[in-house]
Amino acid sequence: MDFINRIPRQKSEALFAKAKTLFPGGVNSPVRAFKSVTGAPLFIKKGDGSRIWDEDDNEYIDFCGSWGPLILGHNNEAVRNAIVETVGQGTSFGTPTKYGVEIGELLINNHRYLEKIRFVSSGTEAVMSAIRLARGYTGKSKILKFEGCYHGHVDSLMVKAGSGLVTFGVSTSAGVPQSFAEETIVLPLNDLQGFIDLMSQQSDEIAAVIIEPIPANNGLLLQDYNYLAWLRKVCDEHNVLLIFDEVISGFRISFEGASGHYSIQPDLITFGKIIGGGMPVGAYGGRADIMAMIAPDGPVYQAGTLSANPVTLSAGIATIKQLLQEGFYETLEAKTQKVVDAMESYFDEKGYDISMPHIGSIFWICFTKDRVFTADQIDPKGMDKFKIIHHELLQRGIYLGPSGYEVGFISAAHTDDDLEIFVTHLKAAIDLAYKPV
Ligand SMILES: *Cc1c(COP(=O)(O)O)cnc(C)c1O
């Protein structure tokens, strides 16, 4: 197949040159800058279904999906119609709206671990609020997080975090006061002894343990069910809250996210991405007795001028209704499995030391066949190969997020044809990366 897209990307390059004079690094979120791959970022003007188009009119099959929210693909008709209808009545009132009640019911009635929920405007804000709530509820101050888990750019959690931090090799952000970082304890994932030691020594200071139950911001570091279930048990024994950060896994792995997938009840869950249907969103929820601590019911203050924005909620409602349709997740998972099976057998055939860890509709290109549980098991040398693959795929009309530490997403809009094209080009790009020099 010679489907190779060699149209120059001059307009993107010109826009990026100008953007660099306006924004730090030319972008408004760091990983967009293509710093760890090659070339200027694409400036995208349009998306429809599985496809996006850049300003130079190159077409790509998209596997980034705006970094996770677009489980239905781009420009989904029902979501677009809902947005247009709501926006026709105005954009924001700073009052409750019927959309809040509708989405609240849809979520709580269909998620066994959600008793109360509150909407905010980003995943970061959801995590920040859940942490404050955990501290307010327990009267304790320390938070335990795991190396490689990303929880947004909350000050005290940007310690050994994934996503853009790992992509740029900083892992811990400048500007986070030592005194804040001291409130955060960081442990490697899957370190049972380390966890039990810490909990025995310091649980009277630890308000909460926060984890991405499906860590998907530093590669895809799939954990064992037994480990997650054991964390739940140990937290209970030590009166420490367990927070599942499901901003990426929520409504992605199943309607009930990782919590439902593993049947493990966290005390609090944070959400974002998918529930806003492509609009800026975050939410946190869980046990009613804990949520009762939030203002105006309780003493933990948390507010937002544009929280539960009606346009966002309409997009969320239209998305959720489609997710609740019979067989939605099974179909999506089967598509993903097909891609993974095709790639894994190619790796075997060629003797490449690569694998494709995956769960639900999330996949990752992993430059080893060994199962990778922890952030430090990822060999940074794989990122040189990723750079070649990423560049070649762009030329061939396939868009992956521009970092080898980031996962890819399959959406309901990807057709069997799209996935076959993807497999063909991914094979060719990997061949190029493994070609002897
Ligand atoms: C994306 C993400 C966040 C941050 O959400 P934003 O909306 O980007 O602030 C937090 N936690 C996890 C697990 C995420 O994947």
Side-chain angles (χ1 to χ4, degrees), residues 300-378:
V300 176
Y301 196 73
Q302 186 275 306
T305 303
L306 293 167
S307 287
N309 174 270
V311 183
T312 298
L313 295 190
S314 300
I317 291 164
T319 300
I320 287 167
K321 284 183 175 162
Q322 294 177 70
L323 305 183
L324 285 169
Q325 281 165 13
E326 187 76 36
F328 178 87
Y329 287 97
E330 288 77 4
T331 309
L332 200 52
E333 197 169 330
K335 283 188 196 180
T336 311
Q337 191 68 50
K338 239 170 113 175
V339 170
V340 170
D341 288 347
M343 290 313 302
E344 297 259 354
S345 56
Y346 190 68
F347 302 150
D348 287 344
E349 182 191 313
K350 290 279 186 165
Y352 294 151
D353 190 19
I354 321 185
S355 56
M356 215 168 184
H358 63 106
I359 184 166
S361 49
I362 304 181
F363 66 88
W364 180 48
I365 301 168
C366 177
F367 296 94
T368 173
K369 281 202 192 297
D370 298 335
R371 169 106 180 252
V372 176
F373 288 95
T374 64
D376 67 1
Q377 286 170 338
I378 301 176

Side-chain angles (χ1 to χ4, degrees), residues 32-345:
R32 293 181 195 173
F34 270 45
K35 268 190 116 162
S36 68
V37 289
T38 43
L42 307 185
F43 280 62
I44 300 299
K45 66 174 176 190
K46 175 173 94 165
D48 198 51
S50 63
R51 310 290 171 124
I52 51 176
W53 286 263
D54 69 14
E55 289 287 348
D56 293 283
D57 290 320
N58 296 304
E59 179 178 343
Y60 306 85
I61 307 175
D62 177 30
F63 293 94
C64 178
S66 190
W67 301 99
L70 301 183
I71 193 167
L72 301 174
H74 295 270
N75 201 12
N76 177 267
E77 191 180 354
V79 175
R80 182 181 67 245
N81 289 343
I83 290 174
V84 168
E85 198 183 315
T86 304
V87 92
Q89 308 297 314
T91 53
S92 177
F93 313 107
T95 67
T97 66
K98 68 173 182 183
Y99 304 106
V101 174
E102 187 176 353
I103 198 166
E105 280 190 321
L106 276 171
L107 293 173
I108 288 170
N109 292 344
N110 291 292
H111 194 307
R112 75 192 102 151
Y113 304 133
L114 273 183
E115 295 169 3
K116 280 266 171 70
I117 188 164
R118 173 161 285 177
F119 275 87
V120 292
S121 300
S122 72
T124 296
E125 209 186 333
V127 171
M128 184 182 80
S129 309
I131 296 274
R132 183 183 306 135
L133 174 57
R135 288 175 166 151
Y137 180 81
T138 60
K140 301 190 272 187
S141 69
K142 286 198 178 5
I143 302 294
L144 195 156
K145 81 173 283 280
F146 297 92
E147 201 171 335
C149 286
Y150 178 66
H151 302 294
H153 61 95
V154 180
D155 270 338
S156 57
L157 296 180
M158 280 189 301
V159 184
K160 299 202 173 169
S163 194
L165 288 98
V166 61
T167 299
F168 301 136
V170 292
S171 104
T172 302
S173 172
V176 175
Q178 184 60 26
S179 59
F180 288 23
E182 275 163 17
E183 298 298 331
T184 308
I185 303 167
V186 188
L187 270 185
L189 285 159
N190 200 37
D191 172 6
L192 282 76
Q193 193 61 47
F195 188 74
I196 198 81
D197 288 350
L198 255 165
M199 290 295 262
S200 329
Q201 290 154 13
Q202 296 193 49
S203 65
D204 53 351
E205 292 173 72
I206 301 173
V209 169
I210 184 166
I211 187 169
E212 281 184 82
I214 293 174
N217 280 285
N218 194 325
L220 183 61
L221 305 174
L222 293 172
Q223 303 296 301
D224 283 338
Y225 161 77
N226 287 339
Y227 171 66
L228 296 169
W230 176 83
L231 288 181
R232 171 69 282 179
K233 191 170 112 333
V234 177
C235 284
D236 281 341
E237 287 165 3
H238 289 86
N239 279 317
V240 170
L241 298 184
L242 179 64
I243 304 173
F244 273 4
D245 182 355
E246 296 228 47
V247 173
I248 209 163
S249 55
F251 309 96
R252 170 60 70 177
I253 302 308
S254 70
F255 192 85
E256 295 174 304
S259 317
H261 175 78
Y262 293 120
S263 295
I264 297 174
Q265 178 169 14
D267 299 295
L268 292 171
I269 314 179
T270 54
F271 300 108
K273 300 193 170 115
I274 289 175
I275 43 162
M279 302 288 287
V281 80
Y284 61 105
R287 274 170 49 188
D289 62 323
I290 304 178
M291 295 297 286
M293 294 288 286
I294 301 166
D297 279 354
V300 176
Y301 196 73
Q302 186 275 306
T305 303
L306 293 167
S307 287
N309 174 270
V311 183
T312 298
L313 295 190
S314 300
I317 291 164
T319 300
I320 287 167
K321 284 183 175 162
Q322 294 177 70
L323 305 183
L324 285 169
Q325 281 165 13
E326 187 76 36
F328 178 87
Y329 287 97
E330 288 77 4
T331 309
L332 200 52
E333 197 169 330
K335 283 188 196 180
T336 311
Q337 191 68 50
K338 239 170 113 175
V339 170
V340 170
D341 288 347
M343 290 313 302
E344 297 259 354
S345 56

Side-chain angles (χ1 to χ4, degrees), residues 21-39:
T21 70
L22 305 170
F23 313 114
V27 290
N28 291 288
S29 193
V31 190
R32 293 181 195 173
F34 270 45
K35 268 190 116 162
S36 68
V37 289
T38 43

